[in-house]
Amino acid sequence: MNSLLSISQLSAFKIKNLCNLASCIEKETIKPYCGGKIIATLFFEPSTRTKLSFQTATIKIRGTVIDLDNNSSLKKGESEEDTVRTVSQYADLLVIRHPKRGGVDHLASYSSVPVINAGDGGNEHPTQALLDYYTIKKRKPTGKITIMFTGDLLQSRTLNSLVKLLDMAKDDYELIYSNGANEQLQLYKHTQIDENQISDIIHKVDVLYMTRFQIERYTAVNNPYRSNFVMSKELANKMKGDAIIMHPLPRLTELPPEIDSDPRAVYFEQVKNGLYVRMAILLGCLEK
Ligand code: NCD
């Protein structure tokens, strides 16, 4: 049984295997079955998609979900560490989200069963990266791909994990960043552009990956550069006919609903793919 705490733990081979398994699940060529295992979701930070898709994925592989709700003994002052120790006596696997960088790694050391990182502060979100990659490969299986990242490049954990994954998968990618990339993202070969150049470059990109401003990760003191980029029909008209527009969601004003009817908008497809990918991840982590 294995934990998934960071994308760095996976090899190119494992990433391809997980995507193949997710694809078999999607095409219904296999009937995924986990042997009635119990999965606990412990979210110390808000979530809609990640939590509900892990819970749905568990039900679909015929496991059972237990969830730490807002009425746990944390309210009586019990520590997160003791909470994790306790729940790992009940469940076969824990899915944990935490507001602090490294918070999931820390809590995993108190668990007696494998842990999946469902997002730790502005650091990593490995399962989102896998579903993003799966979505990209489904739409663009071969050839060099140019990906432009916009929005909050300082605190978006989805970007940290996806860029790491793209590097590890050894596919042919060109990365373009708009303003504000963090130190982690700077480690990878990329082209840096200013946000007001997006409209001149957008015709070249195969994947536009947007993110929201991570408002909960900033205080008035550390409030840095804030993106003003807003997607529009006019910009979409400049994009390639077979480009895709991605967003991990939730969105704020950067991605207006008028884009949703564009066939290149795949953000709700990402949501759907997340289910297949998370079923594959759960099976992988539960494997003996
Ligand atoms: C992302 C997250 O939680 O990092 N959402 C998600 O899991 N789909 C993106 C975000 O919150 O902006």
Side-chain angles (χ1 to χ4, degrees):
M1 309 251 260
N2 315 294
S3 290
L4 175 57
L5 298 174
S6 162
I7 269 300
S8 333
Q9 279 172 246
L10 301 176
S11 59
F13 180 72
K14 270 201 175 158
I15 293 166
K16 303 242 146 89
N17 271 351
L18 275 173
C19 288
N20 285 339
L21 180 56
S23 174
C24 291
I25 294 172
E26 180 177 1
K27 292 181 185 136
E28 296 182 358
T29 54
I30 64 155
K31 274 204 160 123
Y33 179 52
C34 72
K37 293 282 190 325
I38 296 175
I39 313 296
T41 45
L42 283 75
F43 279 59
F44 300 100
E45 194 187 56
S47 170
T48 296
R49 273 150 293 270
T50 308
K51 182 164 161 176
L52 291 181
S53 76
F54 265 115
Q55 295 184 338
T56 311
T58 302
I59 295 164
K60 283 189 173 270
I61 61 172
R62 289 184 283 158
T64 302
V65 176
I66 56 171
D67 180 45
L68 186 76
D69 62 18
N70 287 330
N71 213 19
S72 73
S73 290
L74 285 164
K75 275 200 171 162
K76 301 179 188 166
E78 185 169 36
S79 68
E80 292 174 351
E81 289 83 353
D82 280 0
T83 304
V84 166
R85 251 189 191 145
T86 302
V87 181
S88 73
Q89 308 305 313
Y90 306 140
D92 298 295
L93 187 146
L94 312 183
V95 179
I96 307 182
R97 169 170 285 189
H98 200 273
K100 286 203 196 113
R101 285 172 176 265
V104 177
D105 272 45
H106 170 73
L107 290 177
S109 67
Y110 291 85
S111 172
S112 52
V113 296
V115 172
I116 295 177
N117 179 357
D120 63 311
N123 183 36
E124 275 231 40
H125 195 344
T127 66
Q128 178 71 38
L130 283 160
L131 78 87
D132 289 339
Y133 183 70
Y134 182 76
T135 306
I136 294 172
K137 288 315 255 183
K138 248 172 89 177
R139 288 287 190 129
K140 311 234 154 247
T142 52
K144 183 169 179 169
I145 293 173
T146 301
I147 305 188
M148 179 156 73
F149 294 102
T150 64
D152 189 338
L153 278 73
L154 186 65
Q155 294 281 5
S156 288
R157 55 194 175 198
T158 63
L159 301 192
N160 295 340
S161 291
L162 179 57
V163 170
K164 255 189 206 175
L165 190 158
L166 292 172
D167 188 60
M168 289 176 52
K170 308 223 178 313
D171 292 323
D172 203 3
Y173 288 101
E174 186 187 335
L175 307 175
I176 302 176
Y177 299 162
S178 67
N179 314 58
N182 64 38
E183 281 173 18
Q184 165 71 39
L185 292 173
Q186 301 282 358
L187 295 175
Y188 301 91
K189 187 169 164 273
H190 65 276
T191 306
Q192 174 69 54
I193 58 155
D194 189 81
E195 216 168 68
N196 57 31
Q197 295 173 284
I198 291 176
S199 67
D200 304 326
I201 288 168
I202 204 158
H203 66 278
K204 287 208 292 196
V205 312
D206 301 298
V207 178
L208 169 64
Y209 193 109
M210 304 183 64
T211 52
R212 74 173 168 102
F213 183 65
Q214 304 279 304
I215 193 153
E216 68 276 33
R217 310 209 190 286
Y218 296 101
T219 58
V221 224
N222 74 356
N223 214 348
Y225 164 84
R226 183 166 179 163
S227 166
N228 288 315
F229 177 64
V230 176
M231 189 52 184
S232 63
K233 278 196 170 169
E234 197 190 338
L235 283 168
N237 288 340
K238 293 186 176 180
M239 293 180 75
K240 290 182 185 175
D242 63 349
I244 54 174
I245 303 164
M246 300 181 71
H247 196 302
L249 303 175
R251 60 173 143 183
L252 300 175
T253 48
E254 72 283 352
L255 182 53
E258 65 171 29
I259 308 297
D260 300 359
S261 55
D262 191 308
R264 295 166 297 180
V266 299
Y267 26 95
F268 288 103
E269 210 173 295
Q270 283 168 265
V271 173
K272 184 85 181 174
N273 290 336
L275 202 51
Y276 310 125
V277 171
R278 290 193 169 113
M279 284 193 250
I281 294 169
L282 286 173
L283 290 172
C285 290
L286 287 167
E287 220 167 55
K288 288 239 160 69

